[in-house]
Amino acid sequence: MPSRMGARAPAGFARSFWELGLLLLLVFVLLQGSVFPYGADASSQHAKDGCSSTHEGKPNRTKKVFPVLSFEYDHIKTPFEVSLWVLFASLMKLGFHLVPRLSSIVPESCLLIVVGLLVGGLSKLIGESELPKLDSGNFFLVLLPPIILDAGYFLPIRPFMENLGTILMFAVVGTLWNAFFIGSVLFAVCQIPAAGLTHLGLLSCLLFGSIISAVDPVAVLAVFEEIHINELLHILVFGESLLNDAVTVVLYHLFEEFSAFGTVTVLDGFLGVISFLIVAFGGVLVGAIYGILAAFTSRFTSHMRVIEPLFVFVYSYIAYLSAELFHLSGIMALIACGAVMRPYVEANISHKSHTTIKYFLKMWSSVSETLIFILLGVATVGGPHNWNWIFVTSTVFLCLVARVIGVIGLTFIINKFRIVKLTTKDQFIVAYGGLRGAIAFSLGFLLEVEDEEMRHIFLTAIITVIFFTVFVQGMTIKPLVELLAVKKKQEAKRSINEEIHIQFLDHLLTGIEDICGHYGHHHWKDKMNRFNRKYVKKWLIAGERSKEPQLIAFYHKLEFKQAIQLVESGAGGKLSSALPSTVSIQNIQPKKPPPAPEPRERVLPQLPKSREEEIRKILRSNLQRTRQRLRSYNRHTLVADPYEEGLNDLLKKQKMFELEKKIKEMNNYLSVPVATSDSPTLRRARLASGRQTDFKPDEQQNGKKQTSDPQAYNVKPDPVDVPTIQVELASPQSPDSVNIMDEFRKDKEKDEDTGLTMKLPSGPSAPPRKQSEEEDAKDPQKLTRCLSDPGPSADEGEDDPFLP
Amino acid sequence: MGSLQSSPSHQDYVDLAEKTGFSFEQISILHKRFKQLSHNEDKLRREHFGQITDLHANPIREQIVEAFFDRRNFYQEIEEPVSEISFENFLVVMSNFRPPSDNMSQEKLVKVRKEKLRFLFNMHDTDKDGTITLEEYRHVVEELLSYYEALETETARGIADAAMLEVASITRGHMEPDEFYEGITFEHFLKLLEGFDIESRMNIRFMNMDTTTLCFLTTYRGVKSWPFQLYFW
């Protein structure tokens, strides 16, 4: 790595120089923390001197001049330093991604640890001893929860459940095996007189083994997120790291208890098993209860959207704390809470709240992660160490060996039951991905043993293992994945066809299992789904969405994405780019005869049903709602919805596109002016929304009063009387403008003619929706005219067999 | 191996095992189930499937049952419409749901994948003309959503149409407005589900031990055959 750094010295050097400067500055500021009090005293002393000198005549001690500027660092010390650390960590994170290619070679976690080491080293050089430690209390109560919640909330439930058996096997049996293997072999090693550790008892060694054996979710997440491995392997390693928490907690407490007394009975082992079950299932139960509570609460938040995300965070945190209260597995509680609440909460909350939750979780977890790694580095330098060569090397070695044996042995058993077998490559990655991290370190810190020296030995060994796994394994796993050609994660662009087939397969397999007459995985899943649909959703999801099947929900998501793309893609001219190609519904419509003989079909391609649906749905579900919301603008409601902005934008652009198209048509036909050629999609979308408003005329009118459509102003020029026939080939612009004016004039007239329900007196503010209906009616006319075949044929229903 | 002495001879078992890839134990279990469903007759008819209560709630039950009577799934030439199936046919249909075995070669895996997809394709292609038309696809989606009462068929059609559009755009790319996409052929179907790892999804676990005696047909379902943990692997 150093050679690479050297190769592109100029840029990298300047940047790292800058970073170093920044680092130094921050460190300096931090270090000032403890010096400041003196400074503050001095300055206030000075101020006092100053005032005493100016006001010598009145030596009244009680009455001082009001201090214009005062200084009191202690007052803000803690939050200030915490903020500085967070800022520092974030800046570091930012800095790494400024340095090109660095982040692709070295995992971020390694860099952060190095930064921590540097900070620790610097402070040691200066002689500062007041650096924040990776305090176990803070770690478990503040730093860890965001990461776990992030993991739990966004846990891919389907692969998780499908591989639950394997994950549990690795998490429970694997961790137990690791703990006992490492512990007992270490005890044997300690008996070698040369090591000088003969005073270490078996129970202490087992305690150490239980601490060091657990795979760490923070480290795994940090590394695995960068290597983009396939879903199965990711969920195996990651799921293991999450679920082994219960085992670790129980083993830890068990051995801590026993090592104080020094004896273990069979009863103790039995109680340990019971305790494990209680810790694990209790944690899950606590989490699930809070998750259901959160889901239930979110059912009623439709009037208070701004605090929706808060419920998710607070309920989860309370779940974590409640679990920790009884020494249950807090991690399991958080995972369960997040996973249980998510489907219901997401159905209830607004899209914005969902985005907020996502970003907050990601932000918190990444800041926590950064802080954890930096503090780990700092603690490495700052902490007391007792380096025992034999103990440390044998620990690292045993960790590796135990992991490999454990994975291979367990996979041998598991593969007998799995439908999709784990290959040798998979086993290798699972074994290699067993990274240890800050949880082990914090547990080691928490150790209460009389023998301080033993604790230091343990801590040193733990840190070494962490460094070894994070640096060596973390850095080499990426090249190894590529070398072994392990299947990577596909860029998941799930198509609607795949979604249909996923659902189809679910039912198919359930059906086949039923025919075979045994109740398998699919059978139970189906039962659960049924139960969920019948009872749970009704209680936890407000309104209509509780009845929405998954496929529809997926479809809506897809629609929404496409609509956003539609808006983003700019002019309506690119409408077709929202869908992958120019294929339209007409191409797949079986009822229609091949439309070749009909020229109007060729001119006006049929509207793709999906697009129509898409826009209509959005218009229906969102425009009215947001308009209502806009009415009350206060601190507690959010201003405009992006939907609406997007839609206005879309409509605006559509209008522009109309103009362009008109220009084109002018050039093409050079004949009688045509009526506006709205794009079919939008035309129909407007028509649809217009139709929608027919059902709710009141609401519509309200809406109209609230927001005048801006695009109406955009395009409407002053009406001028001009000839309608244009033959100028050379300058397309002028005929165009002329014609538009003409048309708009006509539109207005027509508006007045056909007294529709939603009429506004003034022409310019006539909503485009209204217009579009007119345009729609005129469309066939236009086309026939283009073909110099005059005569209106206003059967608008003919060309859209899809509209209900 | 006492079950081997039941009605099919040992040679039958060997043939069946060769043809379908099931183990003897699995065949004997499935045979028991077959007899149970057909009330000890040699042929299974459509109404026999109607007794399976668990199947009643399945939204695509008709298609599933039809798949058992689809002669394309039997690998043999039968002209007339099938009204009853033998155990062999039953087994052949079931064999589509066998998980791929451990050390399968790449070509073999591709073949398995193709067979599984062909089975799915045949389920969709109800008129057996080799293409899934829009109507057929719509039917699939409607069935799929059928157990959500309060749902307009319009939505289902919308989804099917969108899906069909997707197919057309994936397989054809650009199409002129006057072209007509007649339906999904099998090649298109393969292309469509390229990224869909069907070989690891379309599997169920066939028991190697006899559990059918624990699962009664219509009347009594109190005993849930197997310990839980097995189902989550």
Side-chain angles (χ1 to χ4, degrees), chain A residues 417 497 515 519 582 587 616, chain B residues 33 137 154 174 181 231:
Chain A
F417 297 99
N497 278 299
I515 291 174
Y519 300 115
T582 55
N587 298 123
R616 193 178 59 170
Chain B
R33 178 66 176 172
Y137 211 41
E154 191 201 324
H174 178 80
Y181 187 75
Y231 299 121

Side-chain angles (χ1 to χ4, degrees), chain A residues 659-664 666-667 670 717 726 728-741:
Chain A
L659 293 185
E660 272 167 38
K661 204 171 172 193
K662 239 172 268 167
I663 295 170
K664 265 186 220 153
M666 278 303 107
N667 289 339
L670 298 170
Q726 290 295 329
E728 262 177 1
L729 258 175
S731 65
Q733 260 76 18
S734 59
D736 167 61
S737 57
V738 163
N739 280 307
I740 297 163
M741 290 168 201

Side-chain angles (χ1 to χ4, degrees), chain B residues 28-58:
Chain B
S28 90
I29 290 167
L30 285 173
H31 187 250
K32 243 185 194 167
R33 178 66 176 172
F34 182 83
K35 287 280 177 197
Q36 196 181 11
L37 286 176
S38 67
H39 300 292
N40 277 324
E41 287 171 41
D42 284 341
K43 298 279 182 179
L44 198 59
R45 288 186 303 278
R46 282 187 174 81
E47 64 261 27
H48 290 138
F49 284 98
Q51 315 156 359
I52 308 171
T53 37
D54 288 317
L55 209 56
H56 290 177
N58 203 313

Side-chain angles (χ1 to χ4, degrees), chain A residues 162 417 421 495-497 501 507 514-515 517-519 521 530 533 549 581-583 586-587 589 613 616, chain B residues 33 54 57-58 102 124 137 147-148 154 163 166 169 173-174 176-177 179-181 205 215 221 230-231:
Chain A
E162 277 169 7
F417 297 99
K421 314 284 186 216
S495 68
I496 192 152
N497 278 299
H501 280 93
H507 292 305
D514 291 338
I515 291 174
H518 66 250
Y519 300 115
H521 181 176
R530 231 171 269 274
R533 204 171 54 238
S581 83
T582 55
V583 182
Q586 175 199 6
N587 298 123
Q589 191 38 241
E613 278 281 316
R616 193 178 59 170
Chain B
R33 178 66 176 172
D54 288 317
N58 203 313
D102 301 356
H124 295 334
Y137 211 41
Y147 64 163
Y148 295 93
E154 191 201 324
E166 197 183 82
S169 58
H174 178 80
E176 292 300 320
E179 270 184 275
F180 173 62
Y181 187 75
R205 180 182 312 285
C215 309
R221 298 218 326 262
L230 267 183
Y231 299 121

Side-chain angles (χ1 to χ4, degrees), chain A residues 629-695:
Chain A
R629 218 184 289 165
L630 266 181
R631 238 176 281 159
S632 59
Y633 169 64
N634 66 23
R635 195 162 60 88
H636 301 294
T637 38
L638 302 160
V639 199
D641 212 87
Y643 275 132
E644 199 184 37
E645 283 159 31
L647 274 170
N648 280 341
D649 222 35
L650 174 65
L651 296 179
K652 236 182 266 176
K653 279 171 180 163
Q654 196 59 40
K655 212 64 176 181
M656 300 298 282
F657 172 62
E658 251 166 57
L659 293 185
E660 272 167 38
K661 204 171 172 193
K662 239 172 268 167
I663 295 170
K664 265 186 220 153
E665 264 166 34
M666 278 303 107
N667 289 339
N668 285 345
Y669 299 115
L670 298 170
S671 62
V672 198
V674 294
T676 52
S677 68
D678 208 336
S679 119
T681 315
L682 207 71
R683 173 167 56 84
R684 211 147 315 180
R686 286 177 188 169
L687 175 63
S689 67
R691 185 167 297 181
Q692 162 76 7
T693 56
D694 285 348
F695 298 130

Side-chain angles (χ1 to χ4, degrees), chain A residues 529-588:
Chain A
N529 279 339
R530 231 171 269 274
F531 177 76
N532 182 21
R533 204 171 54 238
K534 252 189 179 159
Y535 306 105
V536 186
K537 276 192 174 176
K538 214 177 282 173
W539 283 98
L540 295 184
I541 298 180
E544 274 186 8
R545 295 201 58 185
S546 61
K547 293 186 197 98
E548 198 172 61
Q550 201 193 339
L551 188 58
I552 305 275
F554 177 80
Y555 181 58
H556 282 319
K557 256 186 221 163
L558 208 71
E559 266 182 345
F560 180 69
K561 238 188 248 162
Q562 283 185 354
I564 295 292
Q565 275 172 9
L566 212 68
V567 174
E568 281 172 354
S569 67
K574 290 179 203 149
L575 262 179
S576 49
S577 69
L579 275 175
S581 83
T582 55
V583 182
S584 69
I585 194 76
Q586 175 199 6
N587 298 123
I588 63 167

